[in-house]
Amino acid sequence: MKVMKFGGTSVGKPHRMHEVANLITRDEESKIVVLSALSGTTNALVEISESLLRGDRQAAKAQIDTLHAHYKSFVLELLQQSSSREKANEVLNEHFEFLTIILKISFSQALNKDILAQGELLSTKLFSIYLDEIKVNHVLLPALDFMTIDSYDEPQVGTIKVKLAQLLNKHKDKKIFITQGYISRNAKGEVDNLKRGGSDYSASLIAAAVNASVCEIWTDIDGMHNSDPRIVEKTFAIEQLSFDEAAELAYFGAKILHPASIWPAQFYNVPVRLLNTMQPDAKGTLISEKAGSVGVKAVAAKDGITAIRVKSSRMLLAYGFLRKVFEVFEKHRTSIDMITTSEVAVSVTIDDDVHLPEISKELEAFGTVEVDTNQTIVSIVGNEIAETKDVMKQIFDALEPIPVRMVCYGGSRHNVSLLIARADKEITLQLLNKGLFKL
Ligand code: ADP
Ligand code: ASP
Ligand code: MG
């Protein structure tokens, strides 16, 4: 069995959805097809939620109506038969009625999650109606029946595996299963999600749970590029990456993959393929245990980073100081990305600043605390990069005009990370592309 995940642009136009149907019927292997919401939908749902949070029901109503109109014309192009159009309009009415009802309910986080779930519910139901119309035998599996997260918002492959196996067992004669990416049920049994871009994570979790032959991530580009193609002009697709390399790139900002989407596939050793729906026969990127080659492969950047420096003369020759500092972050369930130390100071970075005020206050007990917001981590990733000759020289030669706030080298054998101001990100990526890839 394999997993095929199609992202927002891959299902965002009726003719794209038709193409997805072609792609999933090209071979005989059983498959679980994971769909995102149509492109733009989750953003629109976020905006509806924000209007409701502000108490601006009029704006929310207008946004809901615009979205409904978009889906009505989508259905007209997607489907040809009047019976399937009728079914699709019933689905639209059901979901848009729900959105209209919530206009009258007071806003809560649980309601917000319900709103955000509508996109994937709609895309999968519409796709299923289209498959019926063209007579492709399939089953629609509700992700909310098997994709669960625990009280720390962590998905547990073991639980997902049991639930999914039970569902699949009911349809032993079927070969094509369609399900929603992104959405999940939390420990309280409420509708929740795996955070923005989470359909990749759903696909990898499902692939791990069913021990898939491959987890295919179909998107709008021909694989993982050596740098962010939205910022750097000359980039190229990488043919092969190790799980470690791909995990670092995803975690450090390569938008093509959700930050956590590699670990399930890696842990259960399921190869991942990044493929392009617009060029289905292009090679794409294969992510597996093998790295293919040694040295710099790609650069990624992650924004929204906060750097915290704790300076204390008490750190001098003191043991236990770092433990106390780390305990503060642990207490507030805030993970640290980069760390550098000197004899009298420690600097760390975090990407989640929800508890920053409490963290800063508690750190003040140990010394002077300086906080820099709006920073960016730039990660240079490649198998055995730390042992590759000249790599640091090339990086620093390329970045001569850029003030670098922190450098992490040697923590991982596959990554060198730099902290820079967000304002310097574009130029940094461009200079690294020239310096490291000679492009
Ligand atoms: P989907 O909707 O299919 O999940 P995303 O928009 O989430 O697609 O991810 C694909 C996009 O990621 C590409 O269109 C590209 O602009 C962006 N991207 C950023 N960094 C990279 C990279 N290193 N390699 C490839 N794509 C990247
Ligand atoms: N639809 C969700 C989002 O836009 C999940 C995804 O596309 O992966 O974030
Ligand atoms: Mg995505």
Side-chain angles (χ1 to χ4, degrees):
M1 176 169 262
K2 69 173 170 177
V3 171
M4 300 174 83
K5 176 258 169 178
F6 294 88
T9 27
S10 304
V11 292
K13 292 270 179 334
H15 71 275
R16 296 247 139 267
M17 240 191 210
H18 296 160
E19 181 56 25
V20 171
N22 284 338
L23 291 170
I24 66 169
T25 48
R26 284 207 301 188
D27 63 59
E28 286 300 307
E29 190 173 359
S30 308
K31 50 191 67 89
I32 302 183
V33 177
V34 180
L35 299 190
S36 291
L38 316 192
S39 52
T41 297
T42 311
N43 286 346
L45 294 168
V46 168
E47 281 169 21
I48 292 167
S49 267
E50 284 170 357
S51 299
L52 287 174
L53 178 63
R54 286 197 312 272
D56 191 345
R57 283 168 203 220
Q58 225 180 335
K61 174 82 177 69
Q63 286 157 338
I64 293 169
D65 290 345
T66 309
L67 197 61
H68 196 172
H70 175 69
Y71 274 84
K72 278 189 201 156
S73 57
F74 187 91
V75 160
L76 281 181
E77 258 188 75
L78 178 72
L79 304 163
Q80 296 313 314
Q81 294 164 9
S82 56
S83 59
S84 13
R85 283 181 179 172
E86 244 166 66
K87 266 193 232 154
N89 279 319
E90 273 167 35
V91 166
L92 297 192
N93 288 342
E94 179 200 333
H95 287 275
F96 284 93
E97 241 165 60
F98 166 78
L99 287 173
T100 311
I101 289 168
I102 54 150
L103 287 174
K104 300 180 188 112
I105 306 175
S106 57
F107 188 83
S108 66
Q109 264 322 307
L111 191 65
N112 176 37
K113 304 279 176 65
D114 267 321
I115 297 172
L116 296 180
Q118 301 308 306
E120 272 68 13
L121 292 170
L122 279 165
S123 64
T124 46
K125 287 186 188 180
L126 295 179
F127 185 58
S128 170
I129 295 172
Y130 174 62
L131 290 182
D132 281 337
E133 182 173 280
I134 58 166
K135 305 212 163 25
V136 174
N137 200 355
H138 70 284
V139 178
L140 189 56
L141 289 180
L144 296 176
D145 290 353
F146 66 85
M147 186 56 73
T148 50
I149 51 178
D150 65 15
S151 52
Y152 296 117
D153 289 349
E154 294 293 342
Q156 303 294 338
V157 177
T159 319
I160 297 165
K161 191 181 185 128
V162 173
K163 293 189 181 209
L164 192 50
Q166 283 167 354
L167 287 173
L168 292 172
N169 253 328
K170 288 191 196 157
H171 306 281
K172 285 202 176 113
D173 54 327
K174 292 289 182 352
K175 289 195 129 185
I176 299 181
F177 298 90
I178 312 296
T179 193
Q180 299 85 22
Y182 179 58
I183 61 175
S184 61
R185 216 173 264 289
N186 65 25
K188 288 189 246 163
E190 299 161 342
V191 174
D192 212 313
N193 61 61
L194 304 177
K195 313 250 161 58
R196 293 306 305 271
S199 299
D200 305 325
Y201 198 14
S202 304
S204 175
L205 288 162
I206 293 169
V210 300
N211 196 17
S213 58
V214 60
C215 176
E216 295 179 352
I217 308 276
W218 290 83
T219 182
D220 58 2
I221 189 164
D222 57 346
M224 177 73 78
H225 278 221
N226 69 311
S227 190
D228 190 329
R230 294 165 303 175
I231 296 174
V232 177
E233 227 179 79
K234 291 183 193 147
T235 62
F236 57 87
I238 303 162
E239 268 184 39
Q240 205 176 351
L241 286 169
S242 69
F243 286 123
D244 284 331
E245 291 172 323
E248 303 251 18
L249 288 167
Y251 185 74
F252 286 110
K255 191 194 170 227
I256 186 169
L257 285 171
H258 176 283
S261 60
I262 291 299
W263 76 257
Q266 177 166 25
F267 198 76
Y268 290 85
N269 201 10
V270 179
V272 176
R273 245 180 216 289
L274 307 181
L275 294 157
N276 188 350
T277 352
M278 282 98 171
Q279 277 172 259
D281 297 316
K283 264 195 180 152
T285 301
L286 172 65
I287 302 166
S288 68
E289 270 182 330
K290 290 191 225 107
S293 61
V294 171
V296 177
K297 289 260 183 73
V299 178
K302 180 171 165 182
D303 298 330
I305 304 294
T306 300
I308 305 165
R309 179 183 287 128
V310 187
K311 249 166 128 177
S312 169
S313 49
R314 271 179 289 156
M315 190 174 162
L316 201 66
L317 302 177
Y319 50 84
F321 180 86
L322 287 177
R323 177 176 54 78
K324 288 183 201 143
V325 168
F326 291 153
E327 270 171 0
V328 173
F329 290 89
E330 188 183 346
K331 183 174 155 199
H332 294 286
R333 297 187 54 79
T334 300
S335 67
I336 293 171
D337 285 331
M338 292 175 71
I339 307 163
T340 54
T341 60
S342 79
E343 208 34 53
V344 289
V346 53
S347 277
V348 301
T349 69
I350 57 173
D351 66 357
D352 173 3
D353 60 4
V354 173
H355 299 291
L356 182 61
E358 301 99 288
I359 290 173
S360 302
K361 193 153 183 280
E362 287 175 39
L363 290 176
E364 273 162 20
F366 309 127
T368 326
V369 178
E370 286 167 30
V371 175
D372 289 321
T373 54
N374 225 353
Q375 305 285 300
T376 292
I377 295 178
V378 172
S379 272
I380 298 112
V381 173
N383 179 34
E384 308 292 349
I385 190 177
E387 281 112 69
T388 310
K389 218 175 128 240
D390 277 354
V391 77
M392 292 310 273
K393 180 177 179 318
Q394 284 174 27
I395 293 171
F396 285 109
D397 281 352
L399 295 187
E400 203 209 284
I402 308 291
V404 177
R405 161 85 157 76
M406 278 168 79
V407 180
C408 277
Y409 173 76
S412 145
R413 277 157 51 215
H414 318 292
N415 172 321
V416 177
S417 292
L418 314 169
L419 188 72
I420 55 162
R422 166 66 188 86
D424 291 330
K425 169 175 145 177
E426 282 76 12
I427 180 76
T428 299
L429 292 186
Q430 284 149 5
L431 289 172
L432 284 174
N433 212 48
K434 283 203 190 92
L436 295 173
F437 302 102
K438 315 293 173 223
L439 292 170

